Amino acid sequence: MNARDYAIQCIKDEAQALLDLIPKMDEQFDQAVELIMQCQGKVIVTGVGKSGHIGAKIAATLASTGTPSFFINPLDVYHGDLGVMSKGDVVLAISNSGQTDELLRFIPMVLHMEIPIIGMSGNPQSLLAKYSTYHLNVSVEKEACPLNLAPTSSTTATLAMGDALAVALMERRNFKPQDFAQFHPGGELGKRLLTTAQDVMITDNLPTLTADMHLGEAIIHVSKGKLGLGVAIKDGRIAGIITDGDIRRAMEKWQAEFFDRTVDDIMTREPKTVGPQTKISEVQKMMNKYKIHNVLVVDKENRLIGIVDRYACVL
């Protein structure tokens, strides 16, 4: 066969893999849709490698069609990103084998937080399927790769299942063209050019601390703030910031001595800040650049006036 013949065969194999998904869509799919419909928080999509790339696209599709969602790499959870999850969320975990080690190590954290899991894998007998509240079977007979090795048909099937989930949710929400316009990137861009940090910042019950506060007390303030961080204030101005990741690493480092330590011992002394008139588009760029989930809003005297959460940037 020539190159074109191989390409045609690839498309045929992937098309067949999609058609083969139809008999595998059972009541688990219906229940997954209802679970997301009842979700009071966000859909957190996660996966590693190729599954991660597919997951990021699924998260973007869900977000643009009325389901608040975002993608997180499970590896980042071990370095402070666990704070983005809370009760009321739903996790959509993707792994072709259902046995991916990095993903499976993330699952106990999710279960401990009593967050339901929708698993999407090609192995209904996998550990991911076992620990999922509902499991979506995306198994394929073979990859379109001539070696049957490179993820091709399997990633196509997973992406299609994600699209099917998004479309089903659109129908359940009675999603209208005007709703799509609100979430469409064109409309989103316009909003981000006009919306400022002041328009979306959180101002109530800000998790403020003092630099000399012991970490045992600081944990309580960070937890109550529900933003995964605490802001140290000295003489009315920002002195630093701590995150739940900082606290966890401090516990691992100092163990029994942890409760003798203070906020000053672990805080970042120059946190990222913006002024109240900073455009949301710029805030989001800062978050992406520094891989952070919150930005502090300050006045000209470096006094805390609010916090912009990552979700506020999803307009």
Side-chain angles (χ1 to χ4, degrees):
M1 293 194 299
N2 59 32
R4 189 185 306 172
D5 292 331
Y6 281 114
I8 292 172
Q9 187 60 49
C10 172
I11 293 173
K12 286 182 177 179
D13 288 343
E14 295 199 2
Q16 187 60 52
L18 296 184
L19 292 174
D20 290 343
L21 281 182
I22 296 174
K24 298 168 188 170
M25 298 181 70
D26 53 18
E27 68 278 357
Q28 293 275 306
F29 182 88
D30 299 330
Q31 291 165 332
V33 170
E34 288 306 311
L35 179 62
I36 296 175
M37 284 296 298
Q38 300 302 319
C39 175
Q40 299 297 310
K42 314 161 294 294
V43 175
I44 300 171
V45 186
T46 187
V48 180
K50 303 296 188 300
S51 293
H53 295 308
I54 296 299
K57 193 276 178 183
I58 292 174
T61 300
L62 289 170
S64 68
T65 52
T67 301
S69 61
F70 67 92
F71 175 79
I72 184 171
N73 190 313
L75 298 175
D76 292 335
V77 172
Y78 309 120
H79 301 284
D81 284 3
L82 188 61
V84 304
M85 296 193 302
S86 60
K87 275 193 174 183
D89 292 342
V90 170
V91 166
L92 174 58
I94 304 171
S95 167
N96 184 44
S97 68
Q99 303 287 130
T100 307
D101 181 63
E102 296 90 342
L103 188 64
L104 292 179
R105 286 190 284 129
F106 168 59
I107 297 300
M109 304 179 196
V110 180
L111 296 176
H112 178 72
M113 297 177 71
E114 299 181 353
I115 296 174
I117 300 170
I118 299 172
M120 191 183 294
S121 82
N123 183 1
Q125 307 305 316
S126 64
L127 287 174
L128 174 59
K130 177 181 177 180
Y131 289 111
S132 295
T133 309
Y134 303 114
H135 178 258
L136 305 181
N137 184 358
V138 291
S139 59
V140 298
E141 183 176 341
K142 66 174 184 175
E143 298 288 1
C145 163
L147 301 177
N148 197 29
L149 294 174
T152 44
S153 296
S154 58
T155 49
T156 300
T158 303
L159 183 59
M161 184 64 79
D163 287 342
L165 201 57
V167 168
L169 287 163
M170 289 175 69
E171 288 295 327
R172 286 284 283 108
R173 297 186 194 281
N174 196 26
F175 203 71
K176 301 293 186 183
Q178 56 267 33
D179 299 316
F180 185 79
Q182 178 182 354
F183 291 101
H184 192 271
E188 176 184 334
L189 178 59
K191 286 186 177 181
R192 292 180 188 220
L193 291 174
L194 297 174
T195 306
T196 66
Q198 187 175 30
D199 295 326
V200 299
M201 68 184 183
I202 297 167
T203 58
D204 297 330
N205 302 316
L206 297 177
T208 56
L209 320 166
T210 61
D212 60 356
M213 181 183 291
H214 284 91
L215 292 179
E217 183 180 356
I219 290 176
I220 298 174
H221 288 272
V222 171
S223 179
K224 286 183 177 180
K226 298 181 179 180
L227 292 173
L229 60 81
V231 184
I233 304 296
K234 183 176 182 180
D235 298 328
R237 294 177 174 80
I238 296 173
I241 186 175
I242 65 171
T243 67
D244 52 0
D246 295 329
I247 293 172
R248 186 177 64 256
R249 287 186 286 272
M251 294 179 73
E252 294 173 352
K253 177 180 179 181
W254 287 313
Q255 299 183 15
E257 299 177 10
F258 172 79
F259 290 98
D260 297 325
R261 300 289 179 163
T262 66
V263 171
D264 186 69
D265 292 325
I266 67 170
M267 69 182 185
T268 299
R269 300 180 188 280
E270 295 184 359
K272 303 305 176 186
T273 62
V274 297
Q277 298 305 314
T278 304
K279 299 293 188 293
I280 283 299
S281 57
E282 295 302 316
V283 174
Q284 188 176 46
K285 286 180 183 178
M286 179 182 291
M287 289 179 175
N288 292 336
K289 179 179 180 180
Y290 295 104
K291 297 182 179 179
I292 56 179
H293 297 286
N294 300 276
V295 171
L296 309 183
V297 184
V298 299
D299 61 15
K300 294 180 180 179
E301 303 298 324
N302 199 37
R303 299 177 188 274
L304 180 68
I305 60 175
I307 298 174
V308 175
D309 180 88
R310 189 183 196 105
Y311 315 125
C313 294
V314 183
L315 299 175

